[in-house]
Amino acid sequence: MTAPTPLLDLDDSDGLSAADFEGLLRSVAMGGAQIRSTASAIAEGTLDRLAGLRPRSIVLVAGSGGARHAARIATALLGNSVSCPLLLLDRTPSWVGPLDVVVVAGDDAGDPRLVESVDGGVRRGAEVVVAVPEEGPMRAAAAGRTMSLAPRVFTAPRHTMIRFLAVFAAVVAAIDNRDRHAEGPSFLDRIADAVDAEAISDGPTNEVFHNPAKSLATRMRDHRVVLCGSGALATALAEYASASLLASGHSAAGAELSDVIAAARSLFVPAGGTRDSVFHDPFFHDPEFDGALPVDPVRVFVFAMEAGRGEAIRRIDALADADLLVAAHDDTADTGVSEMEQLFILASRLDMASAYMQLTGGAR
């Protein structure tokens, strides 16, 4: 296990590399490679059977961890644009038949629920896509009867969400014939390029001032963290972010922005204070005069896509200490980046910040 080193400086690249026994930083940086390997499998014709298909529904059956979070994000991101219902269910339902597409995703090839879902979809005549390692019980259930998008690039299970999200997006694109006849790189290749660029910016040799992930980790350090978003998509990303931080040993709550605003009066009252106290802003706290804080202060991080940046800025004015998280590396909107690319960029940045939090000891 990677040992936390509370005194390690984020700008000490040699120290970070030496402390990273688990290879967390490299694992996160493989996000673009994971997406590109999925794009390669699709270019080889893996999903050709879905081209032009008009299914009654697309059913996502996801295992735990990254697959589950990716499915929640995918339904929020793609549910309103796909030409049929996009459903997230615990297992293949009994009503599935030849008119449906079932996508089964997870890291555990021995998960009985995933194996049964593949077998059930095949027996009922559905088109079944399997994004699970080809081994153990899953190999027997899926062999020769499904479309396989098994992993080709292996990373830590806590960093596979990006691959699963790419798989779900690719299935929807294949059914809707998106990008099939477009010139130039596929949309997955473009997303992989964006994720690679983010990984380079977030690398250990880049100093905090020029490193979005290190900057984020610095702002989270010595705070109780609340992550939230406005709407289903940003909230699903915030919930994934809270799980990523939890894996690093730093507890964080994930919620919808409206719920956080409603709780703000209690959230920012310091321990020992009352609901009638004035909001406590850590920026104005002076330890010499006010004494030490009994607990770390709360800081809220609000996820937003560029299209919702203005609304998010207006709404977070109700919070005493809040940061806005967008995909752009500065305060100017990058209108050339799609919402899907922004989502992948933010997920990659958060995973890298989580790794830095673990390597430097996380909370105080």
Side-chain angles (χ1 to χ4, degrees), residues 54-58 83-85 95-101:
R54 295 184 177 274
R56 177 176 56 179
S57 70
I58 303 173
S83 56
C84 63
W95 50 260
V96 156
L99 299 178
D100 303 294
V101 174

Side-chain angles (χ1 to χ4, degrees), residues 141-222:
R145 304 188 294 173
T146 64
M147 290 165 274
S148 175
L149 288 177
R152 297 182 176 186
V153 174
F154 292 90
T155 61
R158 62 191 271 190
H159 299 142
T160 57
M161 191 281 288
I162 279 181
R163 180 178 72 83
F164 291 121
L165 185 55
V167 167
F168 297 142
V171 169
V172 170
I175 290 172
D176 284 354
N177 285 318
R178 301 176 189 175
D179 271 7
R180 288 187 62 82
H181 303 293
E183 294 182 0
S186 73
F187 80 100
L188 285 183
D189 288 327
R190 294 193 297 271
I191 290 172
D193 289 342
V195 171
D196 281 342
E198 177 67 27
I200 292 172
S201 297
D202 295 337
T205 59
N206 291 336
E207 296 181 349
V208 170
F209 185 73
H210 301 290
N211 189 314
K214 285 184 179 180
S215 175
L216 179 56
T218 299
R219 302 198 310 271
M220 288 181 172
R221 183 183 292 172
D222 298 332

Side-chain angles (χ1 to χ4, degrees), residues 11-84:
D11 282 338
D12 180 4
S13 58
D14 292 335
L16 287 170
S17 299
D20 191 10
F21 301 120
E22 290 183 71
L24 293 176
L25 299 178
R26 182 180 183 277
S27 181
V28 177
M30 294 295 286
Q34 291 189 76
I35 298 168
R36 209 167 270 109
S37 69
T38 300
S40 295
I42 293 165
E44 293 166 7
T46 301
L47 299 182
D48 281 358
R49 281 159 44 190
L50 300 180
L53 196 66
R54 295 184 177 274
R56 177 176 56 179
S57 70
I58 303 173
V59 176
L60 308 183
V61 180
S64 59
R68 193 72 176 179
H69 285 289
R72 289 170 179 160
I73 292 172
T75 55
L77 176 67
L78 304 169
N80 292 329
S81 61
V82 69
S83 56
C84 63

